[in-house]
Amino acid sequence: MDNHNSYNSGYNNTDQYNNNMVEPYPPDHERQPMAPLKHSGPGIASFVIGLVAVVGYILIFFIAAMALNDSIEVLTPLQAEELALHPAVILASLSTLVCLILNLAGGILGIIGLILKNRKKVFAIIGTLLNGIIILAFIGLILAGMSMM
């Protein structure tokens, strides 16, 4: 029996074994629970800016269409040039540029939100994609317009 106890004494006596070693981690009762990750602020801002810009584009389209509804009939080339200087067209163009600048700012904020460490990236991804798709659509429209000339 002594042989059996001496053989197992080094392995079964965990208090003696643990006291001789330094634990790499604190004991379970001293460990702090990990705090849940927060959403990135720039990512949320990018998402909100993207939504505001989309709503802005929709409003611009409907308001300009309602304002130009009375002016658009069968247009001669001379009347089409006059229509380009209509206040609703000018206001819609400037408003579209403002929304495009918002999209650029939202895209930059989305990229910043993606770079941040220890933050949730859901809103940053959605905001970056939303703003990026709108910017790419404008680039596509510009290229399509240039190819028609």
Side-chain angles (χ1 to χ4, degrees):
M1 286 244 189
D2 271 329
N3 230 359
H4 181 65
N5 287 339
S6 66
Y7 177 74
N8 289 332
S9 66
Y11 295 104
N12 288 337
N13 191 355
T14 56
D15 292 335
Q16 179 184 2
Y17 182 70
N18 284 340
N19 287 337
N20 291 337
M21 291 186 60
V22 176
E23 291 185 17
Y25 300 106
D28 287 337
H29 60 85
E30 292 180 9
R31 288 186 194 164
Q32 301 269 337
M34 288 184 58
L37 294 177
K38 292 181 175 181
H39 289 283
S40 68
I44 294 171
S46 172
F47 176 70
V48 170
I49 287 173
L51 288 179
V52 167
V54 167
V55 170
Y57 290 126
I58 293 170
L59 287 175
I60 291 166
F61 175 76
F62 283 118
I63 292 172
M66 288 173 36
L68 293 176
N69 191 24
D70 296 334
S71 300
I72 297 178
E73 295 167 3
V74 178
L75 297 176
T76 63
L78 185 61
Q79 290 173 336
E81 289 180 13
E82 289 176 5
L83 188 62
L85 296 175
H86 192 279
V89 173
I90 294 172
L91 185 64
S93 300
L94 292 175
S95 300
T96 302
L97 286 176
V98 168
C99 287
L100 186 60
I101 291 170
L102 278 176
N103 284 124
L104 288 172
I108 292 169
L109 285 173
I111 292 170
I112 291 171
L114 289 172
I115 294 173
L116 289 178
K117 304 259 186 223
N118 298 328
R119 298 288 183 178
K120 290 183 183 179
K121 307 216 182 299
V122 175
F123 285 113
I125 291 170
I126 295 171
T128 305
L129 286 175
L130 182 64
N131 290 305
I133 288 170
I134 292 172
I135 292 169
L136 288 176
F138 265 101
I139 292 172
L141 286 173
I142 290 170
L143 293 175
M146 289 172 60
S147 68
M148 293 177 121
M149 290 185 153

